[in-house]
């Protein structure tokens, strides 16, 4: 058994880097460190939900549904669950340390609206 300090781990990361911390049910918890970023690329996980928890700083998570875009602002102590199969990205990243858990596959897109390219 181990204890983990994701804030201390994040201090050792380069900006916009991530590090797997601990295995959990066949996947891993990981920590992400971001400084200032207007918008990241899109990603989605076709086979699983994703947990995004802010430990320090702030971020807005943008999640696309079939017809809408939802923007969820998060600060330290808050989290969002991104539903399986939904495109999402980080916007307004400010001195962010984020704990995340993504047990499935990841697809990425640099498109303005990835739903147009994938039909989802």
């Amino acid at each position: 058994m181990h204890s983990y300090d994701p804030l201390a781990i994040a201090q050792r990361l380069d900006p916009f880097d991530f590090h797997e911390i601990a295995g959990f049910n066949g996947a891993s918890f990981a920590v992400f460190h971001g400084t200032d970023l207007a918008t990241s690329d899109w990603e989605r996980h076709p086979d699983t939900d994703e947990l995004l928890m802010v430990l320090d700083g702030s971020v807005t998570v943008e999640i696309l549904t079939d017809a809408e875009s939802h923007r969820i602002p998060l600060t330290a102590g808050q989290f969002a669950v991104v539903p399986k199969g939904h495109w999402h990205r980080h916007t307004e990243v400010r001195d962010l340390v984020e704990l995340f858990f993504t047990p499935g596959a990841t697809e990425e897109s640099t498109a303005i609206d990835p739903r147009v390219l994938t039909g989802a």
Side-chain angles (χ1 to χ4, degrees):
M1 297 199 169
H2 300 281
S3 67
Y4 302 93
D5 186 344
L7 290 172
I9 293 168
Q11 288 177 348
R12 296 189 303 267
L13 296 177
D14 291 329
F16 306 108
D17 200 2
F18 72 93
H19 178 77
E20 290 185 5
I21 298 175
F24 185 78
N25 290 338
S28 296
F29 277 99
V31 65
F32 169 79
H33 171 230
T35 52
D36 292 326
L37 176 69
T39 304
S40 70
D41 291 338
W42 292 103
E43 67 174 37
R44 73 174 172 177
H45 313 288
D47 53 354
T48 186
D49 298 338
E50 178 179 44
L51 171 76
L52 304 173
M53 182 168 189
V54 175
L55 302 177
D56 198 16
S58 63
V59 66
T60 297
V61 177
E62 183 176 9
I63 302 172
L64 301 178
T65 62
D66 288 341
E68 298 177 321
S69 171
H70 298 271
R71 297 174 53 83
I72 304 168
L74 300 171
T75 59
Q78 298 179 317
F79 70 91
V81 175
V82 179
K84 170 175 73 172
H86 284 72
W87 287 105
H88 58 284
R89 66 181 175 181
H90 287 55
T91 66
E92 303 165 8
V93 175
R94 302 290 176 260
D95 301 319
L96 177 65
V97 176
E98 178 183 77
L99 182 72
F100 66 94
F101 182 67
T102 313
T106 299
E107 299 173 353
E108 298 177 355
S109 176
T110 58
I112 293 171
D113 186 343
R115 296 172 296 187
V116 175
L117 301 175
T118 61

